[in-house]
Every structure is written in C-alpha cells, then in structure tokens.
Amino acid sequence: MSTTPDPAPSTSSADPSATSSAGPSAGPSAGPARGRGRKGAERREALLDAAEEVLVAEGGPEWTMRAVAAAAGVRLGHLQYYFPTHAELVAAVLERVLRRSAERLAPLLSADAAAPEAAPGVVTALLAEQEDARLMRLFVEVWALAARDATVAAAVRGFYGDYRAQVSAFVARRHPNVPEEERRARAGVFIMLIEGASLFRSGVAGERDPATDEALVRTALALLGP
C-alpha cells in the first residue's frame, strides 16, 4: 500500500455526468457516494475492476492511485472524483471482494444441513474456489493488506467472524445437541483448515496432490459432523 499521497484532484476534473449530491457510502468507506446514477455506478465498478487487476498483478506496494488510474485509462482526477483518497479506494475494493465471497458462501451454508449431500457439497464448493488462481491471488493480497492496515484488518476480521457464525449455525442444524462452544470451535478450525489449504492448493505455497486432498476432505467433513 502506497504511503505517499497522490495530489488532490482539481475542481475541473470532476465527472460532469455524475450527480453532485452526496449520500452515505455503500461500503466501509465513510466518504460520499459519488456517481450514484446508472452511468456513475458503471464507471465506479469499472474503476474497481481496474483496482483489483492492479492489486492482483502488482501487489499492495505498487497499488497506488496513479497505477489504478493508468490501468483504467482515465486521468487521476477522474479516479479521485469517485474515490478521493487511497483509503476510500481500498475500502471500496475490500467491501466488494468480501461481499462477493459472502454471497458465494451464503447459499452453501443456508441449505438443508441435514441432507446427506449438504456437508460434502459445502466442502467441495469451497475447495473448487481454490482452483481460481486470480481469486486466490486477490485474497492473498487482501490478507497482506490486513497485516499492514488496521482498518482493512478490522473488515477482514468482521468477514471471518460472520463466516464462522454461519458455519457454526450449519453444524447446529446438523447436530442440535452439540454445545455452542464446541460448535464455534469446530467452525473456527474448519475455516482455518479451508483457508490455510488455499495457500497450498492454489500453488501459492505448495502444490496439490490427491492423497492430501482426500485427507483434507475427510478432516473437513469430520469437523462439520458425520
């Protein structure tokens, strides 16, 4: 993450097609919600797409406002109209990354937990995500940002807190008699197992192999309950 602030945008660089009224931000950022119309929303999403690409390709230290503007093919002032500061850009990217992940998890963990295929379906789907190299690189960079930035770390902890609560509720629906403390412990270890495995199965820190995958699935299923 860049520690050198980019120059503030000039008033002439404001996007003339976007509304000038300010509203609450939809993400972690406390700044104004800019470009609230359809075209403004599309431009905002395109800028966030470019920001993600820079983060994945270059990593946090090179993730500057100028680099994102260049990747998006716009002037720095245009980017700063939507995201006036680097912190607001980081917050918006983080909110979108975590929201997409939460949306993928929700249907898996809210399904009929007692069905025979429920637990294997959850584990299979989570491990299948780890075959998406770009997604894994994106999360590695988010974790790296969290190690350096307290605001990012708080958002990431909030995401994993919600994730843990969903897994715990899934276990509770499968086994109502398991004490809450044990359910939470199982959920925590399950998440550690799956998230840790992503570093190795994605090729970031190791390579996949069938025998290890089989042991991983058995262990994950045991945590969710037979």
Side-chain angles (χ1 to χ4, degrees):
M1 185 183 300
S2 174
T3 57
T4 303
D6 290 289
S10 65
T11 55
S12 63
S13 65
D15 188 342
S17 66
T19 178
S20 61
S21 61
S25 172
S29 170
R34 296 171 183 263
R36 290 166 54 189
R38 180 179 61 83
K39 288 185 178 179
E42 290 173 355
R43 289 170 179 162
R44 187 176 189 276
E45 287 300 302
L47 292 171
L48 291 175
D49 287 341
E52 281 191 21
E53 290 304 319
V54 173
L55 182 59
V56 170
E58 305 295 338
E62 304 301 321
W63 197 34
T64 65
M65 297 283 278
R66 290 187 184 281
V68 172
V74 301
R75 292 176 299 168
L76 177 61
H78 179 92
L79 174 64
Q80 290 177 308
Y81 175 82
Y82 290 90
F83 307 101
T85 68
H86 189 266
E88 289 178 83
L89 177 63
V90 171
V93 169
L94 180 65
E95 187 275 335
R96 194 171 73 152
V97 170
L98 297 182
R99 170 168 44 82
R100 286 198 307 248
S101 188
E103 288 170 352
R104 289 192 297 268
L105 285 169
L108 297 174
L109 296 172
S110 61
D112 181 5
E117 70 278 6
V122 168
V123 174
T124 299
L126 290 175
L127 295 184
E129 282 196 346
Q130 296 174 3
E131 297 175 10
D132 184 340
R134 183 187 179 282
L135 179 63
M136 290 302 99
R137 177 65 186 270
L138 186 57
F139 263 92
V140 167
E141 292 299 335
V142 166
W143 294 333
L145 285 170
R148 299 192 297 270
D149 187 300
T151 302
V152 175
V156 171
R157 284 195 298 271
F159 166 76
Y160 281 111
D162 290 342
Y163 185 1
R164 183 174 184 173
Q166 291 182 63
V167 175
S168 180
F170 182 87
V171 174
R173 294 196 303 276
R174 287 175 63 79
H175 304 286
N177 295 328
V178 173
E180 181 180 358
E181 185 176 357
E182 182 180 343
R183 292 198 308 264
R184 282 188 53 78
R186 285 193 194 185
V189 175
F190 177 83
I191 293 169
M192 293 175 192
L193 178 71
I194 296 296
E195 298 297 278
S198 69
L199 290 172
F200 292 86
R201 298 182 75 256
S202 65
V204 173
E207 299 292 338
R208 293 176 55 187
D209 73 81
T212 302
D213 274 1
E214 288 180 12
L216 172 64
V217 170
R218 287 197 305 271
T219 304
L221 291 175
L223 289 165
L224 295 178

